[in-house]
Amino acid sequence: MWNPTRTWTAIVALTILTMIAVPAEARYSAVVHQAQSQLAAQGHDPGVLDGFMGPNTRRAIVSYQTQEGLSPTGELDNATLESLSIGVSVDLARNVEDWQAVPTQAEIDELKEPINSPSNPYADYRPRAPGAKLGLPGKSILAAMNLSADTYGGRPPNHPKHTQQGLKALIGCLRTTHFPDHWSDITIHYYCQMSLPRRCFTNALAGKSTGGRRLARPVAYDGCSNGRLADAGDFRFVTTTQPEIFQYLMFAQTHAFDHEQEQAIINAFYGVEDPTNRNECTAKRPQRTEDPSNGTHCLVDKEMNRKLVGRSR
């Protein structure tokens, strides 16, 4: 018999069983990705903006450090991160705010233009691309996640709004074997809190309701919101309560959002007060498939087990 309490606390152990060990330098880092974007924008070529600390990125860091009068270590040390205006704060969970207003439809539409691949509107790895280091309407997203979780039961055991179906759907979504490695952290945690009402959207992306044809995110959203696709009725919850937030998070890119803001919202949602406490992180915050299994998945500068992006063309 399925035990939700046991499932919630055993997520890390499951990750260990499924994780393929790779060298640290072969792991994706959101901080490295953000640094690459900043370095490239300032004329220091790190190669593909993919979140990997490879030789090209190290050379770009040394070039930048030399230019700025910093010690040329080739590492993203504290002085270099500060110079690049990249933070790795761990205390933002208690200070979630609307770092930007909920975007307008016109602003959301700017994220849809394909650059690197005509078939993928979310693969724009240019420095300062429309979907790079965007601010988040943090309080609004947190409120939307809470509403979804309370409505559909995606809460841990002993929470008054917990249901076995809702929690099982949440964990199954985060632990998907489909590896949504083109999704940022905030995207997948927000999305998985709507594991039940967003089935129309999910099935359209996977081709399950479209005869095997996988729809792009904007096309899937339009089909579900207009009632043309299967399970569109359930999707009305999304389109009537949080359409702009859903589109903003789902239509952007893996590297789109400010990573400190992302982790602040996610940690606040799960009640993580100290992201550096590995035991608290493990106990309170469920892991996505790509998360590290050592209890550091609440941190901004965690190293992911699996490459999230990098298919630049």
Side-chain angles (χ1 to χ4, degrees), residues 35 38-39 42-45 53 56-84:
Q38 298 284 68
L39 290 165
Q42 298 185 47
H44 306 277
D45 182 12
M53 181 61 84
N56 290 334
T57 298
R58 291 194 184 280
R59 281 192 289 269
I61 293 172
V62 169
S63 175
Y64 174 81
Q65 290 170 329
T66 301
Q67 175 184 290
E68 298 298 312
L70 301 171
S71 179
T73 63
E75 303 287 343
L76 290 174
D77 50 42
N78 289 338
T80 304
L81 289 172
E82 182 177 355
S83 180
L84 288 168

Side-chain angles (χ1 to χ4, degrees), residues 55-298:
N56 290 334
T57 298
R58 291 194 184 280
R59 281 192 289 269
I61 293 172
V62 169
S63 175
Y64 174 81
Q65 290 170 329
T66 301
Q67 175 184 290
E68 298 298 312
L70 301 171
S71 179
T73 63
E75 303 287 343
L76 290 174
D77 50 42
N78 289 338
T80 304
L81 289 172
E82 182 177 355
S83 180
L84 288 168
S85 299
I86 298 172
V88 288
S89 173
V90 298
D91 60 0
L92 285 183
R94 292 181 291 276
N95 299 286
V96 173
E97 59 183 86
D98 282 334
W99 293 283
Q100 81 147 42
V102 175
T104 64
Q105 189 63 52
E107 291 172 327
I108 293 170
D109 289 342
E110 291 182 4
L111 304 176
K112 300 181 184 180
E113 295 300 320
I115 298 295
N116 298 91
S117 168
S119 64
N120 186 0
Y122 320 101
D124 186 352
Y125 302 125
R126 298 172 302 165
R128 311 294 185 183
K133 202 182 178 185
L134 298 171
L136 286 164
K139 287 184 177 179
S140 300
I141 294 171
L142 188 55
M145 291 176 71
N146 280 316
L147 175 61
S148 300
D150 288 344
T151 302
Y152 293 96
R155 295 292 194 178
N158 302 318
H159 190 281
K161 298 292 185 177
H162 160 76
T163 69
Q164 290 192 5
Q165 182 188 33
L167 179 57
K168 184 177 181 180
L170 163 66
I171 293 176
C173 176
L174 289 171
R175 300 293 307 146
T176 175
T177 57
H178 293 295
F179 296 107
D181 49 16
H182 53 294
W183 285 2
S184 67
D185 265 356
I186 189 63
T187 294
I188 192 168
H189 280 273
Y190 171 84
Y191 176 79
C192 287
Q193 281 303 335
M194 295 186 294
S195 294
L196 300 179
R198 55 76 179 156
R199 282 176 294 187
C200 174
F201 188 74
T202 301
N203 289 337
L205 294 179
K208 293 181 179 179
S209 60
T210 55
R213 184 168 61 95
R214 298 185 178 186
L215 302 184
R217 278 177 271 178
V219 178
Y221 182 88
D222 289 340
C224 291
S225 60
N226 293 328
R228 295 194 301 268
L229 296 175
D231 294 321
D234 292 336
F235 198 71
R236 289 197 188 98
F237 172 83
V238 178
T239 59
T240 57
T241 63
Q242 41 201 261
E244 287 82 11
I245 293 175
F246 183 92
Q247 291 181 75
Y248 189 56
L249 295 185
M250 295 306 305
F251 293 176
Q253 305 169 64
T254 307
H255 66 302
F257 304 115
D258 182 290
H259 301 300
E260 287 186 279
Q261 295 175 11
E262 284 190 90
Q263 300 308 328
I265 297 167
I266 299 167
N267 288 331
F269 175 79
Y270 291 110
V272 176
E273 296 183 0
D274 181 6
T276 66
N277 185 324
R278 297 188 181 195
N279 291 331
E280 182 187 11
C281 180
T282 297
K284 291 183 177 180
R285 175 170 159 176
Q287 294 168 258
R288 64 182 288 177
T289 304
E290 299 83 0
D291 271 340
S293 59
N294 58 5
T296 64
H297 56 287
C298 296

Side-chain angles (χ1 to χ4, degrees), residues 292-311:
S293 59
N294 58 5
T296 64
H297 56 287
C298 296
L299 297 174
V300 177
D301 56 346
K302 63 183 176 182
E303 290 185 333
M304 307 292 277
N305 292 327
R306 182 180 172 92
K307 184 174 182 177
L308 294 189
V309 293
R311 301 191 193 95

